[in-house]
Amino acid sequence: MEKTWRWFGKKDNITLAMLKQIGVEGIVTALHDVPLGEVWTREKIHDLKSYIESYGMRWSVVESLPVVETIKYAGPDRDHQIEVYKESLRNLAAEGIHTICYNFMPVLDWARTDLLHANPNGTSNLYFSIPEFAYFDIYILKRENARESWADFKVLGPDGKPNGRDILKEVDELKKTMTPEKDHALVENIVIKTQGFVSGNFKEDDEHPIELFRELLALYKGIDKKQLRENMKYFLEAIMPVCEECDMYMCVHPDDPPFQILGLPRIVTSKEDIEWFLNAVPNKHNGLTFCAGSLSAGAQNNVVELARQFASRTWFVHLRSCHVFPNGDFTEASHLGGRADLIELTRIFEKVNPQLPMRVDHGMTMLGDETKGYNAGYSFLGRMFAMGQVQGIIATVDRELGIEYKQPGFFD
Ligand code: DNO
């Protein structure tokens, strides 16, 4: 696989010169300064692309070209926004970029309740506590019917079976220990520190993120899973002619976490979901970002089986792995452990296409990463550690398969 790295543009504290030293071949990035819903112009794409190339790397994948909410909930200006999207696709292809990662998650991109959860080895990782998230929903967001929906929520244990956890009971216990400061920290983790840098609906300086959150949720009133699927199909069918014309590969990112939250439908969470959207628009340009991390956070998923089944429609890979606790909470595991078997996944993807772009995803925060102002989950040293591990896996698998492995940056 092509060794790529998610880089957040010239403002990223991690520079391209640093990435060059650690064997990165391709860059995964976006035009983070273009407001949601505006065309990405050829000029801007060209500028960033040339900057990346001046470091001897290429712009391999766009992550993300955001699909704005109106397309997801089928608002009155959806067709106009689809035209904007098509225009950006044409401009990207004209600059030689042919792989787009996007998601179809309503309102919220990936979500975690703790961004610096201590690991036994003294580093920290992202963490998702179901009761803390439910507390946010019930007591901070105060969503209508939130209590009822958590009462019905079936938590899965690591074996993929409901574990009988009583979330409401835990939320009520948790409430006794919460303070305004802890509430604020939860809002920061779920919204402020995580949604802005992925070009989501919220910005770090939003003064009233909760009000905005409620307004966005209201847009999805009456939109169930079936309807959201229809809206995704509508979007994909509308852009496919452009994708064919300019050979653009769309790869949807799985929902993270891969289960229903906040009463919002989630439609890329499991084998059945992935089969559905691939079959609904049976065109090779409609493909998948195989995010082993998001998929492994869902105890319903056997990640290796999913990779075997969907490798031929996968155009981009995210390598990371999650650990699901007996109570159903989850955290990031080592890139050599957890529920996603990255060694076996590497075998599967290397066999299908050794050129497939791959980035390591979410690394530990370690050895001072926490003081550098990196985006949550996107540390330098932690991700570099993971990248080293994954490069070792690829080199070993390539040897097994008789593929020549090259580590960039050396004389050999
Ligand atoms: C999280 C990322 C996601 C991903 C988007 C794609 O770390 O994997 O934010 O970039 O969902 O649109």
Side-chain angles (χ1 to χ4, degrees):
M1 290 177 281
E2 182 192 23
K3 300 179 277 285
T4 70
W5 182 277
R6 190 176 197 183
W7 173 72
F8 293 97
K10 293 181 189 168
K11 288 190 199 134
D12 196 328
N13 291 341
I14 299 167
T15 64
L16 294 180
M18 288 159 80
L19 298 182
K20 184 98 182 138
Q21 293 199 4
I22 63 169
V24 171
E25 297 161 323
I27 293 299
V28 174
T29 193
L31 293 183
H32 289 286
D33 55 337
V34 177
L36 286 179
E38 282 183 22
V39 172
W40 288 15
T41 62
R42 230 184 124 165
E43 199 187 2
K44 285 202 167 179
I45 298 164
H46 183 81
D47 281 355
L48 191 60
K49 179 188 137 148
S50 307
Y51 182 73
I52 293 168
E53 288 175 353
S54 72
Y55 284 84
M57 293 180 268
R58 71 173 194 123
W59 184 350
S60 309
V61 178
V62 170
E63 181 172 355
S64 288
L65 182 58
V67 176
V68 291
E69 297 302 318
T70 187
I71 296 178
K72 294 179 185 166
Y73 70 87
D77 52 345
R78 116 166 118 168
D79 289 336
H80 167 69
Q81 278 301 326
I82 289 178
E83 289 309 313
V84 169
Y85 206 91
K86 287 186 193 167
E87 201 52 39
S88 299
L89 291 179
R90 286 197 189 94
N91 291 342
L92 283 159
E95 290 297 328
I97 300 159
H98 293 275
T99 310
I100 309 285
C101 170
Y102 70 101
N103 72 68
F104 221 81
M105 288 180 255
V107 184
L108 207 58
D109 198 307
W110 63 292
R112 295 291 185 278
T113 53
D114 190 353
L115 308 178
L116 292 170
H117 193 80
N119 282 321
N121 65 4
T123 64
S124 65
N125 255 334
L126 307 172
Y127 188 96
F128 190 90
S129 151
I130 301 174
E132 283 183 19
F133 195 84
Y135 171 88
F136 166 81
D137 190 11
I138 298 170
Y139 290 108
I140 299 179
L141 203 53
K142 301 193 173 76
R143 183 174 63 88
E144 212 186 312
N145 300 329
R147 261 196 101 80
E148 289 76 357
S149 67
W150 286 106
D152 293 341
F153 189 81
K154 298 242 174 324
V155 181
L156 302 185
D159 58 0
K161 303 207 173 79
N163 63 6
R165 188 175 188 186
D166 186 340
I167 294 294
L168 284 183
K169 195 167 149 211
E170 286 186 47
V171 171
D172 291 339
E173 279 307 306
L174 183 66
K175 181 157 188 341
K176 296 180 196 156
T177 68
M178 292 303 279
T179 58
E181 292 72 32
K182 286 187 181 169
D183 280 8
H184 183 69
L186 211 44
V187 175
E188 285 212 307
N189 292 347
I190 296 173
V191 188
I192 300 171
K193 287 187 184 160
T194 43
Q195 302 305 306
F197 76 83
V198 293
S199 300
N201 289 313
F202 303 89
K203 294 190 197 56
E204 295 215 354
D205 53 3
D206 273 338
E207 280 181 29
H208 304 288
I210 295 301
E211 279 76 358
L212 176 56
F213 210 123
R214 290 188 188 123
E215 283 165 25
L216 289 163
L217 277 181
L219 300 171
Y220 285 87
K221 247 200 157 114
I223 304 229
D224 59 7
K225 182 167 176 170
K226 186 163 175 281
Q227 188 58 51
L228 191 65
R229 279 182 165 181
E230 282 313 308
N231 297 350
M232 182 177 182
K233 185 169 177 218
Y234 182 94
F235 165 68
L236 285 169
E237 281 178 343
I239 62 168
M240 278 302 122
V242 174
C243 293
E244 291 202 326
E245 165 198 311
C246 59
D247 203 28
M248 187 57 96
Y249 289 81
M250 297 298 298
C251 344
V252 72
H253 188 283
D255 302 337
D256 184 357
F259 44 78
Q260 182 162 330
I261 49 171
L262 305 168
L264 294 167
R266 297 219 144 195
I267 56 172
V268 193
T269 65
S270 63
K271 175 178 148 86
E272 188 228 331
D273 283 350
I274 299 171
E275 275 170 352
W276 183 85
F277 85 84
L278 291 177
N279 294 336
V281 183
N283 183 319
K284 68 174 179 177
H285 296 279
N286 167 31
L288 177 68
T289 294
F290 196 95
C291 178
S294 308
L295 294 169
S296 62
Q300 71 276 17
N301 292 324
N302 177 323
V303 186
V304 168
E305 269 174 22
L306 296 181
R308 285 206 184 98
Q309 185 175 351
F310 300 118
S312 63
R313 291 279 288 273
T314 294
W315 309 127
F316 183 30
V317 176
H318 285 181
L319 288 186
R320 74 178 165 91
S321 183
C322 281
H323 175 78
V324 177
F325 292 93
N327 69 5
D329 288 354
F330 68 86
T331 188
E332 310 287 333
S334 151
H335 284 65
L336 299 178
R339 296 191 72 251
D341 178 347
L342 301 192
I343 298 174
E344 193 52 31
L345 296 186
T346 301
R347 282 199 189 100
I348 294 168
F349 291 119
E350 281 296 89
K351 272 188 206 154
V352 173
N353 177 9
Q355 307 306 320
L356 199 60
M358 172 287 304
R359 71 171 179 87
V360 294
D361 197 11
H362 302 172
M364 294 179 276
T365 296
M366 67 194 296
L367 302 173
D369 274 332
E370 57 281 5
T371 63
K372 299 285 188 351
Y374 301 141
N375 291 326
Y378 290 90
S379 61
F380 180 62
L381 295 176
R383 265 194 302 164
M384 176 173 88
F385 187 84
M387 180 63 138
Q389 292 177 316
V390 167
Q391 288 176 353
I393 298 176
I394 299 176
T396 309
V397 166
D398 282 1
R399 172 77 61 87
E400 281 173 14
L401 299 177
I403 299 170
E404 189 193 1
Y405 177 82
K406 279 216 172 94
Q407 183 67 19
F410 291 87
F411 288 115
D412 57 355

